[in-house]
Amino acid sequence: MKELPQLPFDNPDILGIAPQMRALQRQGPITRVQAAGEDAWLVTRYDEVKALLADRRLSLSNPNPQPSAKSAARAFMVALMAGDDHETEAVRHARMRALLVPRFTTRRMRLMKTRIEHHVDELLDKLAASAPPVDLHRALSFPLPTMTVCDLLGVPLADRERFGQWARGTFDQSDNQHSANTFQQVVDYTTELVARKRIEPGDDILSELIAAEDGALSDAEIAQLGNAVLLFGYETTIVRIDLGTLLLLRNPDQRALLAEKPELAPAAVEEILRLGVGGKGSNALIPRYAHSDITVGETVIRTGDAVMLAIGAANYDGRAYPDGDLFDLTRDKPKSHLAFGHGARHCIGRTLARIELTAVFERLFRRLPDLRLAVPEESLHWQEHRITGGFDEIPVTF
């Protein structure tokens, strides 16, 4: 029997789609692979990935649960997304969204935009006043989403550093004990914060959840929802700021155009979201399980089969995006990318993420027009052991 391709695929570049992923996409929309110790279907083309993201026959939970080699980090992620029990997933996930979606109101996003822009200006002022080389990751990419999620949840800014490090440790797949310890610290902290906000509420999500449903939610339920907001709205944005900076540094003509016309920042953000795949693509695969048979082309995905939806490959697919590899701020009415998913699990925090990224990229290269890497790009290290991937350091000079 022919050996199945093994995910993750090696990639000689730190950005973009692995050559083997591209080759499989050329051959067809779906193929059998090995991923995380189990056979799975890998779907790589835009139309098929988008359709399956919206297909309710695919879910996060496994309809045939069995002992798994998956990491503790992966288990925590699935549980926070209400995907750890196939019998209750649909109801619990719908309730989770019903409680969280109203928290991301137009009014709150407008207020958050003002705060975020203020944070970005302060961080860039401090960065510009530093003697290069400076670590952009520590100076901008890490603190901004941390401050934003602290504002959103009502976490004191003095606690943001440890709060952020706990969040990062939770998704570390290299050490199950470390992941479990840091996740427990997040749970303990958030539970204690909820108890404090019952006495002294503020203008934040946790305080609103305390008042929701006539106060019927328990501290544990509110902390669980707060932890989901933290862990899914924090690390992913950090990664996108780093990737976006690298993409713009790789594309000097587009960078110059953006510096000249900051009104193109929203278009730059969409290209960053579309093309922002790092390392072996750990941040660009969405795992699912089939809860009934599904036909894709001439292939039948059977009930219980694992499916990997390659949103990164789909976002590069030339069938959906002419010259899909090109970073182009002037694309004419491009299709909506899949970086935030699609369908029932479409990212709740996508508007906030866009606000953060737009605030960064309409300012960064105007404030620091000579910004460049202080080390060879190939020396940057993508963190394969984290579910979200990412870098721990981006040395720059200016």
Side-chain angles (χ1 to χ4, degrees):
M1 180 180 294
K2 184 179 179 181
E3 188 173 337
L4 293 175
Q6 177 80 45
L7 281 173
F9 300 144
D10 287 335
N11 191 0
D13 202 345
I14 61 167
L15 295 176
I17 304 302
Q20 190 169 5
M21 184 77 77
R22 290 180 181 276
L24 291 175
Q25 186 183 67
R26 286 193 296 269
Q27 291 173 18
I30 185 169
T31 190
R32 199 73 164 150
V33 297
Q34 265 238 329
E38 63 183 350
D39 291 355
W41 293 105
L42 176 68
V43 188
T44 54
R45 291 184 180 174
Y46 180 91
D47 287 344
E48 287 79 6
V49 170
K50 186 174 183 178
L52 288 172
L53 282 169
D55 195 321
R56 292 186 178 272
R57 293 172 294 176
L58 276 184
S59 297
L60 190 57
S61 58
N62 187 346
N64 301 313
Q66 53 192 346
S68 172
K70 289 184 172 61
S71 65
R74 182 71 62 180
F76 294 141
M77 183 195 77
V78 170
L80 282 170
M81 296 174 74
D84 52 338
D85 184 339
H86 71 286
E87 293 183 354
T88 63
E89 177 182 1
V91 172
R92 288 169 58 216
H93 178 245
R95 175 170 165 74
M96 177 182 176
R97 292 187 73 90
L99 287 165
L100 287 180
V101 168
R103 313 280 82 86
F104 289 80
T105 61
T106 301
R107 171 187 169 273
R108 171 165 280 134
M109 292 303 100
R110 191 179 299 120
L111 290 172
M112 291 298 296
K113 181 176 185 291
T114 300
R115 291 179 190 172
I116 288 164
E117 290 173 344
H118 177 71
H119 289 324
V120 173
D121 287 334
E122 285 196 329
L123 290 167
L124 288 178
D125 285 346
K126 186 176 179 181
L127 174 59
S130 302
V134 178
D135 180 6
L136 183 85
H137 178 84
R138 293 296 308 176
L140 177 65
S141 309
F142 180 86
L144 176 64
T146 311
M147 287 189 270
T148 300
V149 82
C150 284
D151 288 343
L152 201 60
L153 294 176
V155 174
L157 283 180
D159 292 341
R160 67 175 184 257
E161 179 70 23
R162 60 174 178 155
F163 205 56
Q165 293 297 345
W166 290 339
R168 173 158 291 191
T170 297
F171 286 155
D172 184 347
Q173 300 187 92
S174 67
D175 186 334
N176 284 343
Q177 191 59 56
H178 175 60
S179 176
N181 289 344
T182 51
F183 181 60
Q184 189 59 52
Q185 287 176 303
V186 173
V187 171
D188 291 345
Y189 180 94
T190 311
T191 303
E192 180 184 335
L193 185 61
V194 171
R196 293 208 308 267
K197 288 188 176 296
R198 284 195 182 276
I199 301 170
E200 298 179 5
D203 184 12
D204 56 73
I205 283 181
L206 294 181
S207 297
E208 289 182 10
L209 289 170
I210 288 169
E213 298 187 349
D214 296 321
L217 297 177
S218 69
D219 285 11
E221 289 175 305
I222 296 167
Q224 174 90 350
L225 292 166
N227 290 335
V229 171
L230 163 68
L231 293 169
F232 299 125
Y234 154 79
E235 185 71 21
T236 51
T237 308
I238 293 173
V239 172
R240 293 294 176 177
I241 294 172
D242 284 341
L243 288 172
T245 301
L246 294 177
L247 283 165
L248 283 161
L249 289 174
R250 279 190 173 192
N251 293 273
D253 291 345
Q254 297 297 298
R255 184 177 77 239
L257 181 61
L258 177 60
E260 178 188 347
K261 297 181 177 181
E263 65 272 18
L264 288 174
V269 166
E270 297 311 306
E271 284 290 84
I272 288 164
L273 289 165
R274 183 178 72 84
L275 296 172
V277 181
K280 296 181 180 180
S282 55
N283 68 321
L285 288 168
I286 293 181
R288 292 289 185 265
Y289 287 94
H291 283 233
S292 59
D293 290 359
I294 304 170
T295 300
V296 177
E298 298 179 357
T299 299
V300 178
I301 301 171
R302 299 295 182 189
T303 302
D305 282 356
V307 180
M308 302 298 291
L309 302 174
I311 57 171
N315 284 337
Y316 277 71
D317 189 354
R319 297 161 191 79
Y321 301 97
D323 298 318
D325 284 2
L326 293 183
F327 186 94
D328 183 1
L329 304 189
T330 61
R331 285 187 180 275
D332 184 28
K333 298 179 182 178
K335 289 190 176 185
S336 57
H337 58 72
L338 304 176
F340 291 122
H342 180 65
R345 288 190 174 275
H346 200 193
C347 176
I348 292 171
R350 60 191 181 275
T351 298
L352 184 60
R354 284 185 165 111
I355 290 171
E356 290 179 79
L357 293 168
T358 300
V360 168
F361 290 110
E362 70 184 2
R363 289 166 170 77
L364 179 60
F365 289 99
R366 282 193 299 156
R367 188 73 176 81
L368 298 167
D370 297 322
L371 183 76
R372 59 194 185 277
L373 286 176
V375 297
E377 188 187 75
E378 57 269 21
S379 71
L380 300 177
H381 183 57
W382 181 261
Q383 304 295 319
E384 296 290 348
H385 63 283
R386 287 202 296 263
I387 290 176
T388 51
F391 301 96
D392 280 343
E393 187 179 28
I394 305 284
V396 296
T397 188
F398 41 87

